[in-house]
């Protein structure tokens, strides 16, 4: 009789893993089934397991409650049924559970702590050298970012012509020596010359993805996993429906027990030459069935938006469609979709040739404040030219721009915002005004942003009785000036510079 391996203690919202030997002849990824049922006092869940190579199968589970759980693992992978028990204990200080939608337009951790998303994009940071990965994690640890978008598959695009450290499938890639900066476009979406078996996963590739998700969890950063993308020379974007479904189910079985996972169905779904709306809806059915933890789900556009009103989409993942306007449209998107608006691409700070990748640090910072004060959640990216073609947007490493320090400055104000977050407020036509998205009106809290306007003073009036503390914020120079307390109608002197904000809070 075989034994299974597991730790008998895990914290609530932690990853419980049970490991068992099983059959390995034939193709273990397709020929056998494995599932685990976990029963606690307050929940019972059944999840798929997965083959992890060398005759080993695993099942992972995230307990949502404290207490004792019993488990049973069975399937055609083994003639045995594996059973046991473990205890889910109190979550650690930094463990607040998965992120959920809160109050329609916002997000919070499962324990109720507000989550104000400040994302960045590093498409294939985890497929770079060990040294570069380490540098990326160090940079993230010193940043304001609490979410990072990255791909499971390698990427083929400008400044991304090198080979990844691993591939998701067993087999061999095309000869990359034929690629140049001049001819790389010829190979986008070109599967010829590859010899991959799309029904046999390279477990080392996925084991590394697991480790990266865990390292991000340790930094309290959400792993916004881009499951599919079209920038491909290996054929991964053109697999059959059968192979696509196998991939989705395998990935869900492996990583859904990590509390910091989000599902980004696609980067630029509309650029896939052979995927239809029916395909994306089929993937959605798989995720909604197999991910028993109901992690956040989105799908990202190049040009036309996907229909964000679809019930399986939890929040809008938006790439701006207008050359000039991005965060300015948050009000409209909130009203149209009635979901959190996450601006995953409002263009990138940098100086490359592409219009999406050469805005200034000032403009990136302006878009962040604009989005935040309109009740949206902005995302960062950086694309500065580099002699080694190492750009943060794809490879990670170090940040060189001017916006990250200003984003960290903004984070202080985001963190101090009362739950659930801000909503746009109709006041003067020439300002971005917000108050707390609280239907009861319990919070007397206001934020005003003047963007590229340069008023020398503004007048405010809310009521006759409340005393308000007023702060003038220079969002670019990162200073805060306390102007004192006021009552009734009052006037606030401003320096007549761009990028100023005013925070007004009722005195308790």
């Amino acid at each position: 009789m075989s034994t299974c391996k597991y730790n008998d203690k895990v914290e609530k919202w932690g990853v419980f893993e049970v490991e068992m030997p099983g059959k390995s002849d034939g193709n273990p990824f397709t020929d056998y089934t494995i599932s685990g049922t976990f029963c606690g006092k307050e929940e019972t869940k059944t999840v798929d397991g997965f083959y992890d190579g060398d005759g080993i199968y695993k099942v992972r589970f995230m307990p949502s409650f404290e207490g004792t759980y019993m488990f049973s693992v069975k399937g055609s992978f083994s003639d045995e049924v594996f059973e046991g028990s473990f205890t889910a204990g109190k979550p650690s200080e930094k463990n607040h559970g998965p992120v959920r939608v809160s109050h329609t337009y916002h997000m919070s951790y499962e324990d109720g702590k507000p989550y104000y998303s400040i994302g960045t994009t590093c498409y294939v940071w985890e497929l770079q050298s060990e040294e570069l990965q380490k540098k990326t994690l160090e940079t993230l640890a010193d940043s304001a970012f609490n979410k990072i978008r990255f791909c499971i598959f390698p990427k083929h695009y400008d400044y991304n012509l090198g080979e990844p450290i691993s591939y998701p499938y067993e087999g061999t890639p095309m000869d990359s020596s034929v690629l140049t900066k001049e001819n790389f476009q010829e190979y986008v979406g070109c599967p010829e010359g590859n010899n991959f078996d799309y029904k046999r996963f390279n477990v080392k590739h996925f084991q590394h993805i697991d480790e990266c998700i865990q390292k991000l969890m340790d930094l309290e950063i959400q792993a916004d996993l881009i499951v599919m993308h079209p920038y491909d020379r290996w054929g991964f974007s053109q697999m059959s429906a059968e192979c696509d479904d196998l991939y989705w189910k395998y990935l869900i079985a492996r990583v859904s027990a990590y509390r910091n996972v989000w599902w980004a169905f696609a980067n630029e779904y509309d650029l896939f030459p052979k995927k239809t709306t029916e395909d994306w809806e089929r993937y959605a059915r798989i995720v909604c069935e197999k991910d028993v933890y109901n992690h956040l789900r989105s799908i990202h556009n190049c040009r036309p938006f996907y229909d964000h009103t679809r019930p399986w989409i939890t929040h809008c993942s938006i790439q701006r469609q207008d050359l000039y306007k991005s965060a300015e449209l948050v009000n409209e998107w909130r009203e149209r979709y009635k979901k959190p608006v996450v601006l995953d691409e409002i263009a990138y700070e940098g100086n490359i040739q592409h219009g999406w990748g050469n805005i200034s640090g000032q403009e990136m910072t302006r878009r962040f404040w604009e989005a935040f004060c309109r009740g949206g959640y902005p995302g960062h990216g950086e694309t500065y030219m580099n002699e080694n073609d190492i750009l943060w947007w794809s490879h990670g490493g170090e940040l060189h721009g001017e916006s990250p320090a200003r984003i960290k400055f903004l984070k202080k104000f985001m963190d101090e915002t009362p739950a659930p977050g801000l909503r746009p407020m109709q006041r003067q036509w020439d300002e971005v005004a917000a108050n707390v998205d609280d239907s009861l009106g319990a919070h007397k809290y206001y934020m005003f942003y003047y963007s590229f306007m340069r008023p020398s003073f503004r007048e405010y009036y809310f009521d006759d009785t409340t005393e308000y503390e007023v702060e003038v914020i220079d969002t670019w120079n990162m200073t805060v000036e306390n102007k004192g307390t006021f009552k009734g109608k009052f006037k606030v002197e401003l320096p007549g510079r761009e990028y100023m904000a005013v925070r007004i809070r009722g005195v308790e």
Side-chain angles (χ1 to χ4, degrees):
M1 181 175 180
S2 302
T3 58
C4 55
K5 298 179 182 179
Y6 61 94
N7 291 323
D8 60 2
K9 291 183 176 62
V10 67
E11 63 185 84
K12 177 183 176 180
W13 300 312
V15 179
F16 173 77
E17 178 181 280
V18 55
E19 175 186 310
M20 298 134 296
K23 302 171 185 177
S24 58
D25 54 319
N27 183 351
F29 300 107
T30 59
D31 293 349
Y32 309 112
T33 60
I34 176 173
S35 67
T37 297
F38 298 82
C39 298
K41 183 179 178 180
E42 299 180 84
E43 66 175 342
T44 297
K45 285 184 167 65
T46 298
V47 298
D48 288 344
F50 59 93
Y51 182 64
D52 203 35
D54 298 324
I56 297 298
Y57 289 79
K58 293 181 178 180
V59 178
R60 290 174 177 158
F61 173 69
M62 180 185 73
S64 297
F65 298 92
E66 296 176 40
T68 300
Y69 283 80
M70 308 295 291
F71 70 84
S72 174
V73 177
K74 59 185 178 180
S76 63
F77 80 102
S78 174
D79 296 330
E80 299 180 43
V81 175
F82 298 87
E83 297 178 328
S85 66
F86 67 94
T87 301
K90 183 179 179 180
S92 55
E93 182 181 358
K94 294 183 178 181
N95 175 0
H96 302 285
V99 174
R100 308 297 192 193
V101 172
S102 172
H103 295 77
T104 306
Y105 303 104
H106 305 284
M107 292 167 280
S108 66
Y109 294 98
E110 191 156 298
D111 70 355
K113 179 182 177 180
Y115 172 79
Y116 300 140
S117 179
I118 310 176
T120 189
T121 293
C122 294
Y123 283 123
V124 283
W125 73 274
E126 86 286 12
L127 301 182
Q128 309 306 309
S129 68
E130 184 177 346
E131 179 184 4
L132 195 54
Q133 291 179 53
K134 182 180 178 182
K135 176 57 68 176
T136 302
L137 291 168
E138 290 172 352
T139 301
L140 289 170
D142 190 42
S143 76
F145 304 125
N146 57 18
K147 179 174 83 76
I148 181 172
R149 301 169 65 229
F150 65 100
C151 304
I152 305 300
F153 290 151
K155 183 179 179 182
H156 172 82
Y157 190 65
D158 266 356
Y159 310 103
N160 288 270
L161 305 184
E163 295 299 329
I165 59 170
S166 64
Y167 299 93
Y169 294 95
E170 294 182 8
T172 55
M174 66 181 295
D175 181 4
S176 63
S177 66
V178 302
L179 298 172
T180 68
K181 291 183 179 180
E182 289 71 35
N183 73 358
F184 83 94
Q185 284 283 9
E186 299 174 19
Y187 294 91
V188 176
C190 178
E192 290 79 12
N194 295 290
N195 185 28
F196 287 110
D197 185 342
Y198 301 130
K199 293 185 179 180
R200 286 184 178 270
F201 298 103
N202 174 10
V203 295
K204 293 188 181 303
H205 179 91
F206 288 92
Q207 288 167 353
H208 179 62
I209 297 290
D210 298 343
E211 292 169 3
C212 289
I213 293 172
Q214 180 64 55
K215 289 175 180 177
L216 292 170
M217 184 193 296
D218 294 340
L219 293 174
E220 299 181 81
I221 295 174
Q222 302 298 303
D224 197 358
L225 302 179
I226 299 171
V227 182
M228 307 181 83
H229 70 83
Y231 299 105
D232 168 42
R233 67 171 181 264
W234 304 277
F236 307 142
S237 64
Q238 298 188 37
M239 298 188 299
S240 67
E242 180 185 11
C243 293
D244 281 347
D245 293 359
L246 181 67
Y247 163 57
W248 278 92
K249 292 174 183 177
Y250 186 74
L251 184 63
I252 293 166
R254 286 201 73 106
V255 307
S256 62
Y258 292 91
R259 63 178 175 269
N260 61 325
V261 160
W262 296 20
W263 303 115
F265 277 52
N267 192 70
E268 300 182 331
Y269 81 93
D270 48 313
L271 298 189
F272 285 78
K274 296 186 179 180
K275 305 300 182 194
T276 65
T277 300
E278 287 72 24
D279 289 315
W280 299 115
E281 292 295 314
R282 189 180 76 255
Y283 308 147
R285 288 192 295 272
I286 292 172
V287 176
C288 290
E289 175 191 354
K290 297 294 186 180
D291 172 18
V292 300
Y293 313 105
N294 197 32
H295 289 293
L296 295 182
R297 302 177 295 266
S298 67
I299 186 166
H300 171 270
N301 64 291
C302 178
R303 297 181 184 91
F305 290 157
Y306 202 88
D307 179 7
H308 294 304
T309 64
R310 295 292 299 153
W312 62 266
I313 296 176
T314 58
H315 65 284
C316 307
S317 173
I318 283 179
Q319 177 172 189
R320 82 279 173 271
Q321 297 171 310
D322 187 278
L323 178 61
Y324 302 105
K325 291 185 288 186
S326 56
E328 293 84 350
L329 298 173
V330 167
N331 301 47
E332 177 185 324
W333 295 327
R334 278 171 51 106
E335 184 63 28
R336 183 190 309 171
Y337 298 117
K338 301 291 194 297
K339 292 178 181 179
V341 174
V342 180
L343 293 96
D344 282 315
E345 288 196 48
I346 52 177
Y348 298 136
E349 178 184 354
N351 59 4
I352 61 173
Q353 74 274 30
H354 302 297
W356 49 261
N358 52 35
I359 66 171
S360 68
Q362 281 188 326
E363 177 59 13
M364 176 67 79
T365 303
R366 187 195 71 79
R367 294 183 186 197
F368 258 72
W369 275 87
E370 187 98 21
F372 169 56
C373 291
R374 292 181 183 275
Y377 296 96
H380 159 275
E382 183 180 289
T383 48
Y384 279 104
M385 295 290 292
N386 180 285
E387 62 180 6
N388 297 316
D389 286 350
I390 298 175
L391 283 66
W392 173 265
W393 137 89
S394 196
H395 307 90
E398 296 180 296
L399 288 163
H400 305 283
E402 296 179 290
S403 66
R406 277 81 185 178
I407 293 169
K408 184 182 286 190
F409 179 71
L410 168 61
K411 184 179 187 297
K412 170 183 180 293
F413 298 97
M414 296 178 80
D415 289 343
E416 292 175 355
T417 300
L422 294 182
R423 65 181 172 195
M425 170 184 167
Q426 293 299 320
R427 217 183 82 103
Q428 302 296 328
W429 66 273
D430 60 345
E431 66 188 4
V432 182
N435 59 1
V436 177
D437 206 346
D438 175 11
S439 59
L440 299 178
H443 297 286
K444 297 191 175 185
Y445 185 102
Y446 306 92
M447 187 71 80
F448 301 89
Y449 182 57
Y450 294 102
S451 186
F452 44 74
M453 304 292 188
R454 303 185 301 167
S456 57
F457 70 90
R458 297 294 287 199
E459 294 180 327
Y460 303 92
Y461 173 77
F462 305 103
D463 60 66
D464 293 318
T465 58
T466 307
E467 279 197 345
Y468 290 95
E469 180 185 39
V470 178
E471 296 165 300
V472 173
I473 305 162
D474 187 325
T475 68
W476 182 251
N477 292 311
M478 296 183 286
T479 61
V480 181
E481 181 184 1
N482 192 315
K483 290 288 190 176
T485 57
F486 300 83
K487 185 187 292 186
K489 183 177 181 180
F490 56 91
K491 177 180 177 180
V492 177
E493 300 289 342
L494 297 172
R497 292 195 301 270
E498 296 175 309
Y499 313 124
M500 304 303 296
V502 175
R503 180 166 67 169
I504 301 176
R505 295 181 285 181
V507 178
E508 295 293 335

